[in-house]
Amino acid sequence: MNETTASIERLKKEKNAVIMAHYYVADEVQEIADYIGDSYYLSETATKIDAETIVLCGVSFMGESAKILNPQKTVLLPDETADCPMAHMASIERIREVRRQYEDVAVVCYVNSTAELKTESDVCVTSANALKIVQALPNKNIFFIPDQNLAHYIADKLPEKNFIFNDGYCHVHHDIPVSRITEAKALHPAAELLVHPECRPEVTALADYVGSTSGIISYAKSSRAHEFIVITEMGVLYELKKQNPDKKFYTAEDMQICPNMKKITLDKIVQVLETGSPSVELQEDFMKRALSPMERMLALSK
Ligand code: 13P
Ligand code: SF4
């Protein structure tokens, strides 16, 4: 154990804190995390934590979600500038306009969204449960925010619903062109193609498996294939390689990096534990309104 890791261990005990991390953060951060998973796992697990403080190693909407679900806990962000650009790619005005246009509309909010957008939504989803939850909704009209690609992926599977699309996207996934996938497939013809649903429809159309980061990890473990082309943020390779030392994993390009997730470092974790700042601070009534769609997600995912 090096000096930084030893400091984190000591501070965790002193502050009664746990470290939660998303699969996209740097390998060394995943290595020291107490809990590591996809967005759904992080939200759900946050409701079961006994510790007083959660250090959320991920982007700010993940910290906000942990706080909304546990308002009595302190949620620390090692870097508060680590923000997901897609989380802002929808507007309250547009939600209200769609509600005026469609009487029975359900506003379905991908958890990769600001707390403010959640306050105006009917239900939250993550990439792990979006299909199941939207299918279970009684509403025919679905306004899915902010991600257009996940919306299209779900809409294709639910022709009985009428989707109203929003134009948000994740630059990390959306910018991977289909030409790179065909090149990777030509280079590794025996490999299965595993794709996150934030990718463009023409990319998900080529996949052997489409799913959340946890879904991709479970699929690779249970598959009989030995090689995989992984089309999501590269951080996920850490867990994939750890769980499958004998399997081979390739990416389509070196650009599969979320710069915001990579802002989280061990030194920043030490600092946030030492100072107790920055923490997620949200107004009480605001949190109550954002909690309702999140609780509905947790109930409908069971
Ligand atoms: P998951 O919900 O699959 O972990 O994805 C989160 C995310 O930020 C994808 O870009
Ligand atoms: Fe946001 Fe994309 Fe980064 Fe995920 S990978 S946090 S969606 S920018």
Side-chain angles (χ1 to χ4, degrees), residues 215-254:
I216 288 174
I217 291 165
S218 316
Y219 181 91
K221 179 131 197 198
S222 59
S223 168
R224 290 189 10 205
H226 292 287
E227 293 177 52
F228 303 87
I229 302 163
V230 181
I231 309 300
T232 188
E233 214 276 354
M234 291 170 77
V236 83
L237 296 180
Y238 172 79
E239 187 67 25
L240 282 168
K241 287 178 183 164
K242 194 164 122 184
Q243 288 194 21
N244 308 280
D246 299 330
K247 294 187 176 181
K248 288 200 175 114
F249 297 96
Y250 313 108
T251 54
E253 54 183 338
D254 297 338

Side-chain angles (χ1 to χ4, degrees), residues 1 76 78 84 87 98 117 119 127-128 143 152 225 269:
M1 195 184 288
L76 300 175
C84 168
V98 171
L117 289 171
T119 65
S127 53
F143 181 37
H152 279 286
I269 296 173

